[in-house]
Amino acid sequence: MLMFAYITPCVVLFVFLLVALMPVPFVVASLITTAQLPPIENVTECGLNSATTVPVYTTLRATRVAFSILGALLYIPIIVRIRTFCANSSRRVLRTTMTVLLISLSTLSLYTIPDIVLLIDPYYPSKYFFVANLNKGVVNVFIFLFTQRTIRDAVFRAI
């Protein structure tokens, strides 16, 4: 459990850096790797629910759900503050607000909702949710590229 608790954030950080620094090669490598995987029906299930006790599993899932919802709710005052701070430049406010809104929605849809489903039914097939959790960073990179022109221009110049 300690290895899981420490290694997972490090791997996520490494993958995020790869996506941020080299988005196109990472997406191409991901697509090639995904194409070589066997069909979902042939992959054996190895879930967190079978590796821990029921109270530990429930606590882990409930903690993830609670803090991801709390994080999404914390974006509401940030959006309000951005709108009041940048009252004169409506286009910049719209882009920033859209970025925050889309990141909140991606957190809820790719992270929180799957965790709620797995909290209610621990034996629900979680392969699709696992893929959704892994791709949240990639989705966030595309959100930033879509909504922030400065970042998009810098990435296209680097490519």
Side-chain angles (χ1 to χ4, degrees):
M1 287 303 292
L2 288 175
M3 286 179 55
F4 178 75
Y6 289 111
I7 290 175
T8 302
C10 292
V11 170
V12 170
L13 177 64
F14 178 71
V15 170
F16 179 74
L17 286 173
L18 278 177
V19 171
L21 297 175
M22 303 179 300
V24 173
F26 183 80
V27 169
V28 170
S30 297
L31 291 174
I32 291 170
T33 305
T34 304
Q36 295 173 354
L37 290 175
I40 295 293
E41 294 78 29
N42 295 338
V43 177
T44 57
E45 182 76 25
C46 178
L48 184 62
N49 60 343
S50 60
T52 61
T53 62
V54 173
V56 170
Y57 177 80
T58 305
T59 303
L60 285 171
R61 289 284 177 206
T63 302
R64 284 174 46 138
V65 167
F67 282 104
S68 61
I69 289 174
L70 179 65
L73 291 175
L74 285 176
Y75 279 124
I76 294 171
I78 291 171
I79 290 172
V80 170
R81 182 75 174 161
I82 289 171
R83 290 184 67 83
T84 57
F85 182 71
C86 301
N88 295 336
S89 58
S90 62
R91 192 148 174 89
R92 184 176 5 147
V93 172
L94 180 63
R95 268 195 231 115
T96 306
T97 305
M98 184 63 71
T99 303
V100 173
L101 176 67
L102 289 173
I103 288 175
S104 298
L105 290 176
S106 77
T107 298
L108 291 174
S109 63
L110 298 175
Y111 192 74
T112 308
I113 293 172
D115 277 347
I116 291 171
V117 170
L118 291 174
L119 184 62
I120 294 169
D121 183 9
Y123 296 101
Y124 189 85
S126 61
K127 295 176 193 102
Y128 302 108
F129 296 153
F130 179 72
V131 171
N133 268 275
L134 285 180
N135 288 317
K136 185 186 174 318
V138 176
V139 169
N140 284 347
V141 167
F142 283 114
I143 289 171
F144 278 108
L145 289 175
F146 176 71
T147 58
Q148 300 298 315
R149 186 177 6 158
T150 308
I151 296 172
R152 183 175 53 242
D153 291 344
V155 168
F156 286 141
R157 270 190 301 238
I159 293 175

